[in-house]
Amino acid sequence: MSTAEETAGGETQPWGEVTPDAARRLLLAAVEAFAERGYHATTTRDIAGRAGMSPAALYIHYKTKEELLHRISRIGHEKALDILRTASRGEGAATERLADAVSSFVRWHARGRTTARVVQYELDSLGPDARAEIVGLRRQVDAEVRGIIEDGVRSGEFDVPDVPGTTLAVLSLCIDVARWFNVDGPRTPEEVGALYADLVLRMVGAKNAGPA
């Protein structure tokens, strides 16, 4: 399944703000190339060819290959942050908000697994300035999940001796879905999201955790 197909469902389509159409086509082509070949093995010629454009056309919209990766990473992390922020600031107890955060985050990684692999696993390919910006966004992502867990500990819903470590484990569990999820596999993104939400509630010792 191509990036364009897997991101056609609205929730996992983070590229609507990329204009004009040629810039968006190049970005989609870069996502596919980076996911398939890796950032360093991908050339600007590879990206332009996938987009049906000349290499010279790419430089009209993006000065460098790194600029493409930076934009992909920034938009992807902003989308991930929005998903978790919406869940963490929603109504309901910490148990409900954590389940919503995990299930939504997992669905995003499963439905847009090609994009998510690039967003989550190519951080070290960015230069110092771009990397610092993305690290800042990752810290905000961490803070949203950590905040829900802290709320649950304060309310007595969760039993978590190590909140930072547990937060890292929860995020790692969710992010890894992008690495292994297969659209032809036995579970849908929704089913994996529900399963992981239940697993995480058990991880934090939620009192009303039940079967997925």
Side-chain angles (χ1 to χ4, degrees):
M1 179 181 289
S2 72
T3 306
E5 289 172 327
E6 77 177 24
T7 60
E11 179 183 356
T12 53
Q13 173 55 280
W15 314 123
E17 64 271 59
V18 179
T19 58
D21 181 66
R24 181 175 178 274
R25 284 164 51 201
L26 286 163
L27 188 142
L28 287 167
V31 168
E32 292 178 351
F34 293 157
E36 180 182 315
R37 299 169 57 87
Y39 174 79
H40 292 294
T42 298
T43 66
T44 53
R45 185 174 294 276
D46 293 331
I47 296 167
R50 286 172 184 260
M53 301 166 67
S54 70
L58 185 148
Y59 295 107
I60 296 173
H61 302 284
Y62 303 99
K63 295 178 182 178
T64 63
K65 184 176 70 167
E66 186 193 344
E67 184 180 334
L68 261 168
L69 177 61
H70 182 203
R71 191 164 193 192
I72 292 164
S73 189
R74 185 180 66 247
I75 294 173
H77 278 88
E78 287 172 346
K79 177 61 177 178
L81 178 59
D82 182 63
I83 289 169
L84 292 173
R85 186 171 283 158
T86 298
S88 71
R89 299 181 184 182
E91 297 186 6
T95 299
E96 297 170 293
R97 289 185 285 124
L98 184 59
D100 185 27
V102 169
S103 61
S104 299
F105 203 42
V106 165
R107 288 197 306 272
W108 183 75
H109 282 83
R111 290 174 180 166
R113 62 202 175 282
T114 303
T115 296
R117 282 200 299 272
V118 176
V119 168
Q120 300 292 4
Y121 295 116
E122 288 286 2
L123 176 63
D124 289 339
S125 298
L126 292 169
D129 291 343
R131 189 179 189 279
E133 180 186 2
I134 302 306
V135 167
L137 288 169
R138 288 193 176 208
R139 286 174 178 154
Q140 293 180 61
V141 164
D142 181 277
E144 293 298 335
V145 175
R146 186 173 67 250
I148 302 173
I149 296 174
E150 288 172 344
D151 286 347
V153 171
R154 282 192 294 269
S155 68
E157 295 172 65
F158 302 157
D159 180 14
V160 181
D162 183 348
V163 172
T166 302
T167 300
L168 177 61
V170 169
L171 288 171
S172 298
L173 190 68
C174 296
I175 288 168
D176 194 55
V177 170
R179 183 185 58 79
W180 63 260
F181 184 80
N182 186 342
V183 69
D184 297 319
R187 296 179 189 269
T188 66
E190 291 73 21
E191 289 170 338
V192 177
L195 172 64
Y196 274 45
D198 179 65
L199 291 173
V200 167
L201 291 183
R202 295 176 186 277
M203 183 189 299
V204 299
K207 291 181 168 47
N208 61 346

